[in-house]
Amino acid sequence: MGKLRQLITQAICSSAGVENFTVERTQDSSKGDLATNVAMVGYKSAGFSSPREMAERVVESLRDNSELETVISKIEIAGPGFINFYLKQEYVKKVLSDESAGCELMKGKRVLVEYSSPNIAKRFSVGHLRSTIIGNSLERIFKATGARVTNDNHLGDWGTQFGMIIAVVEEKDLDVEKMSVADLENEYVEFNKRMTETPGLREKAKEAFWRLEKGDASARKIWEQSVAVSMSEFDKIYKRLGVEFEHSLGESAYETDMPAIIKEAKKNKVAVEGENGAWVVKFEKDGKEYMPPAMLVKSDGTTTYFTRDLATIRRRLDEDELRADLYIYEVGGEQRLHLRQVFETVEKLGWAKKERFVHVAHGLLTLPEGKMSTRKGNTIKLEDLLWKSKDEARRVAGVEIADEEIEKLSLASVKYNELKRSPGLDYVFVWDEALSMEGNSAPYINYAYVRAKKIVAEKNIDGKKLRDFEGEEIGLSKMLIEFVEGDVVERAAKTYAPQVICNYLFELSKKFNAFYDHNRVLGDDREKERLFLVAKLAEVIKQGALLLGIDLVEKM
Ligand code: ARG
């Protein structure tokens, strides 16, 4: 919580003895700068006959709080019993010049964000792109909460599908190293189709996977080459997006951990015997099944995606580098049930509370053209979204922009367009929207930044001995402290929503544009104060954009 809200909350807590109330920044500055509902929610339990009566008492006791006095200029009661607080200019100015201010929500805590997680020998899908962009932003936001954050790319590099790849590579004597990921995927898809028609192929694939598990040299080599080919393609995407992984522990990393986990689940009776010798985890309450069972061991004795996810968590709880207070999974919405099964099983096993695991799900992204590709689960080719964006950016934005900068701006537009909405929603990607110079977009925000930078360029910015802010300066200064004090970051982290950062940056940019339309900065009598605010604004936009993984351009 921002220092200010913390201070007010504590003051109220000690005077009112009520919990579960909020202290929020007000949208409308005629209602002060912060407001609390403490009397509305607490008057009954505190023994008052009306919220107003309680509000009066709270206000009275706050009047004697000397710490509050340095921060708040006025406290008033509004409506049926809300309490509004007005900030002192001195305080606003102090915070804006304080380099050490910021969010401390998760100070001392550890967070692991798992994201991207593409599958080896399959193309990097738009879903993986969404996961990468959102996951990376969450990683950055949580870093800004004071937490120690690490990330993990949970690659899909194991499973019976590799049996098919090995089988087809051996059958056709393919040179994996000369193939692209798309080639590999095509071979896999074709083999999969043939398998349903041709007897014996399924057994071949099974046998190949069995050999892989046993460490057979040929199988192993094909698998390793597939991983290498895929990773070199994926790494190019990560480089382009500016994403780096501290850990890339694929599913294969947990192969040897699984027997012990299966044993434990059986012993604890968390897993029960299912049909044909399979082992499953059931989810029942009062004798009723509230979720379908999850498969721990298949009837042929092989493990599953679910088993590997359990093993992953065991490792994440055991290994110091991976251990965290909070584990965030940025994974497509279609895996909601799967992850719920995993997290609940972890709790059943007594390893950890399920609340420590959060699934941030993303929906589907499509292009307005509709089905660009007929391939299942892959509605758009990634290249259409990222690789062609440079030309599109120039055309649609229609701004004069240097060659090196246009790529940055177009990438920023793709990221911003993704992050500005609630991740769970499906959406249609429209270039005109992503690159709009007028709307809630990266170019709009970047332009405000460039404008601000231009004003303060080579000027002497001095935060000392500022006069009190006046007129529209006041609104701008208060909006800035919302970020500087860490409230914006806190809200984004608490709701797992980079969208909060986007909305803030958009509103701030709008406010600045309006301010600049109405107020001269250079050469005005109030130049010193205004320069200070504009410089701060540029800094805040830059920092905010970085939380989205966006590196703003300096000229446009
Ligand atoms: N590789 C999976 C896929 O592409 C995503 C992995 C999600 N993470 C997990 N822990 N299961 O569908």
Side-chain angles (χ1 to χ4, degrees), residues 514-541:
F515 176 84
Y516 195 48
D517 286 347
H518 309 150
N519 299 278
R520 198 154 60 120
V521 176
L522 300 178
D524 193 272
D525 164 51
R526 300 199 48 81
E527 178 179 298
K528 182 180 158 117
E529 285 71 27
R530 291 182 181 170
L531 269 179
F532 173 77
L533 283 177
V534 174
K536 197 77 211 173
L537 172 121
E539 200 183 303
V540 166
I541 297 185

Coordinates of all heavy atoms in Angstrom, one line a residue, residues 514-541:
A514 N -4.0 17.7 -22.1 CA -5.0 18.7 -21.8 C -4.2 19.9 -21.1 O -4.4 21.1 -21.4 CB -6.1 18.2 -20.9
F515 N -3.4 19.5 -20.1 CA -2.6 20.5 -19.3 C -1.8 21.3 -20.3 O -1.8 22.6 -20.2 CB -1.7 19.7 -18.4 CG -0.8 20.6 -17.6 CD1 -1.2 21.3 -16.5 CD2 0.5 20.9 -18.0 CE1 -0.4 22.1 -15.8 CE2 1.3 21.7 -17.3 CZ 0.9 22.4 -16.2
Y516 N -1.1 20.7 -21.2 CA -0.2 21.4 -22.1 C -1.0 22.3 -23.1 O -0.5 23.3 -23.5 CB 0.7 20.4 -22.8 CG 1.9 21.0 -23.5 CD1 2.7 21.9 -22.8 CD2 2.2 20.7 -24.8 CE1 3.8 22.5 -23.4 CE2 3.3 21.3 -25.4 CZ 4.1 22.2 -24.7 OH 5.1 22.8 -25.3
D517 N -2.2 21.8 -23.4 CA -3.0 22.6 -24.3 C -3.4 24.0 -23.6 O -3.5 25.0 -24.3 CB -4.3 21.9 -24.7 CG -4.0 20.8 -25.8 OD1 -2.8 20.8 -26.3 OD2 -4.8 20.0 -26.0
H518 N -3.6 23.9 -22.3 CA -4.1 25.1 -21.6 C -3.0 25.9 -20.9 O -3.2 27.0 -20.5 CB -5.1 24.7 -20.5 CG -6.2 23.8 -21.0 ND1 -6.8 22.8 -20.2 CD2 -6.8 23.6 -22.3 CE1 -7.7 22.2 -20.9 NE2 -7.7 22.6 -22.2
N519 N -1.8 25.3 -20.7 CA -0.8 26.0 -19.9 C 0.5 26.0 -20.6 O 1.0 25.0 -21.1 CB -0.6 25.2 -18.6 CG -1.9 25.1 -17.8 OD1 -2.2 26.0 -17.0 ND2 -2.6 24.0 -17.9
R520 N 1.1 27.2 -20.7 CA 2.4 27.4 -21.2 C 3.4 26.9 -20.2 O 3.2 27.1 -19.0 CB 2.6 28.9 -21.5 CG 3.8 29.1 -22.4 CD 3.5 30.5 -23.1 NE 3.4 31.5 -22.1 CZ 4.2 32.5 -22.0 NH1 5.2 32.7 -22.9 NH2 4.1 33.4 -21.0
V521 N 4.4 26.3 -20.6 CA 5.5 25.9 -19.6 C 6.7 26.8 -19.7 O 7.0 27.5 -18.8 CB 5.9 24.4 -19.9 CG1 7.0 24.0 -18.9 CG2 4.7 23.5 -19.7
L522 N 7.3 26.8 -20.9 CA 8.5 27.6 -21.0 C 8.2 29.0 -21.1 O 7.3 29.4 -21.8 CB 9.3 27.1 -22.3 CG 9.7 25.7 -22.3 CD1 10.5 25.3 -23.6 CD2 10.6 25.4 -21.1
G523 N 8.9 29.8 -20.4 CA 8.7 31.3 -20.4 C 7.6 31.8 -19.6 O 7.4 33.0 -19.5
D524 N 6.9 30.8 -18.9 CA 5.8 31.3 -18.1 C 6.4 31.6 -16.7 O 7.4 31.1 -16.3 CB 4.8 30.1 -17.9 CG 3.5 30.6 -17.3 OD1 3.4 30.6 -16.0 OD2 2.6 31.0 -18.1
D525 N 5.6 32.4 -16.0 CA 6.0 32.8 -14.6 C 6.2 31.5 -13.7 O 6.9 31.4 -12.8 CB 5.0 33.7 -14.0 CG 5.1 33.8 -12.5 OD1 6.2 34.1 -12.1 OD2 4.1 33.7 -11.8
R526 N 5.4 30.5 -14.1 CA 5.4 29.2 -13.3 C 6.3 28.2 -13.9 O 6.1 27.0 -13.7 CB 4.0 28.8 -13.1 CG 3.1 29.8 -12.3 CD 1.9 29.2 -11.7 NE 2.2 28.0 -10.9 CZ 2.6 28.0 -9.7 NH1 2.9 29.1 -9.0 NH2 2.8 26.9 -9.0
E527 N 7.2 28.6 -14.7 CA 8.0 27.6 -15.5 C 8.7 26.6 -14.5 O 8.7 25.4 -14.8 CB 9.1 28.4 -16.3 CG 10.0 27.4 -17.0 CD 11.1 28.2 -17.8 OE1 10.7 28.9 -18.7 OE2 12.3 28.0 -17.5
K528 N 9.2 27.0 -13.4 CA 9.9 26.1 -12.5 C 9.1 25.0 -12.1 O 9.4 23.8 -12.2 CB 10.5 26.9 -11.3 CG 11.3 26.1 -10.4 CD 11.7 26.9 -9.2 CE 12.0 26.0 -8.0 NZ 13.4 26.1 -7.6
E529 N 7.8 25.3 -11.6 CA 6.9 24.3 -11.1 C 6.5 23.3 -12.3 O 6.4 22.1 -12.1 CB 5.7 24.9 -10.4 CG 6.0 25.4 -9.1 CD 6.8 26.7 -9.1 OE1 6.7 27.4 -10.1 OE2 7.5 27.0 -8.1
R530 N 6.2 24.0 -13.4 CA 5.7 23.2 -14.5 C 6.7 22.3 -15.1 O 6.5 21.2 -15.5 CB 5.0 24.1 -15.5 CG 3.8 24.8 -15.0 CD 3.1 25.7 -15.9 NE 1.9 26.2 -15.2 CZ 1.2 27.2 -15.7 NH1 1.4 27.8 -16.9 NH2 0.1 27.7 -15.0
L531 N 7.9 22.8 -15.2 CA 9.0 22.0 -15.7 C 9.2 20.8 -14.8 O 9.4 19.7 -15.3 CB 10.3 22.8 -15.8 CG 10.7 23.5 -17.0 CD1 12.0 24.3 -16.9 CD2 10.7 22.6 -18.2
F532 N 9.2 21.0 -13.5 CA 9.3 19.9 -12.6 C 8.3 18.9 -12.8 O 8.6 17.7 -12.9 CB 9.3 20.5 -11.2 CG 9.3 19.4 -10.1 CD1 10.5 18.7 -9.8 CD2 8.1 19.0 -9.5 CE1 10.5 17.7 -8.8 CE2 8.1 18.0 -8.5 CZ 9.3 17.3 -8.2
L533 N 7.0 19.3 -13.0 CA 6.0 18.3 -13.2 C 6.1 17.6 -14.5 O 5.9 16.4 -14.6 CB 4.6 19.0 -13.1 CG 4.1 19.4 -11.8 CD1 2.8 20.2 -11.9 CD2 3.9 18.2 -10.9
V534 N 6.5 18.3 -15.5 CA 6.6 17.7 -16.9 C 7.7 16.7 -16.9 O 7.6 15.6 -17.4 CB 6.7 18.7 -18.0 CG1 7.0 18.1 -19.3 CG2 5.5 19.6 -18.0
A535 N 8.8 17.0 -16.2 CA 10.0 16.1 -16.1 C 9.6 14.8 -15.4 O 9.9 13.7 -15.8 CB 11.1 16.8 -15.5
K536 N 8.8 15.0 -14.3 CA 8.4 13.9 -13.5 C 7.4 13.0 -14.3 O 7.5 11.8 -14.3 CB 7.6 14.4 -12.3 CG 7.5 13.4 -11.2 CD 8.8 13.2 -10.4 CE 8.9 11.8 -9.9 NZ 10.3 11.6 -9.3
L537 N 6.6 13.7 -15.1 CA 5.6 12.9 -15.9 C 6.4 12.0 -16.9 O 6.0 10.9 -17.1 CB 4.7 13.9 -16.6 CG 3.8 13.3 -17.6 CD1 2.3 13.5 -17.3 CD2 4.0 13.8 -19.0
A538 N 7.4 12.6 -17.6 CA 8.1 11.8 -18.5 C 8.7 10.6 -17.9 O 8.7 9.5 -18.4 CB 9.2 12.7 -19.2
E539 N 9.3 10.8 -16.7 CA 9.9 9.7 -15.9 C 8.9 8.6 -15.6 O 9.1 7.5 -15.7 CB 10.4 10.4 -14.6 CG 11.5 9.6 -13.9 CD 11.9 10.3 -12.6 OE1 12.2 11.5 -12.7 OE2 11.7 9.7 -11.6
V540 N 7.7 9.1 -15.2 CA 6.7 8.1 -14.8 C 6.2 7.3 -16.0 O 6.0 6.1 -15.9 CB 5.5 8.8 -14.1 CG1 4.3 7.9 -14.0 CG2 5.9 9.3 -12.7
I541 N 6.0 8.0 -17.1 CA 5.5 7.3 -18.3 C 6.6 6.2 -18.7 O 6.3 5.1 -19.0 CB 5.2 8.2 -19.5 CG1 4.1 9.2 -19.1 CG2 4.9 7.4 -20.7 CD1 3.6 10.1 -20.3

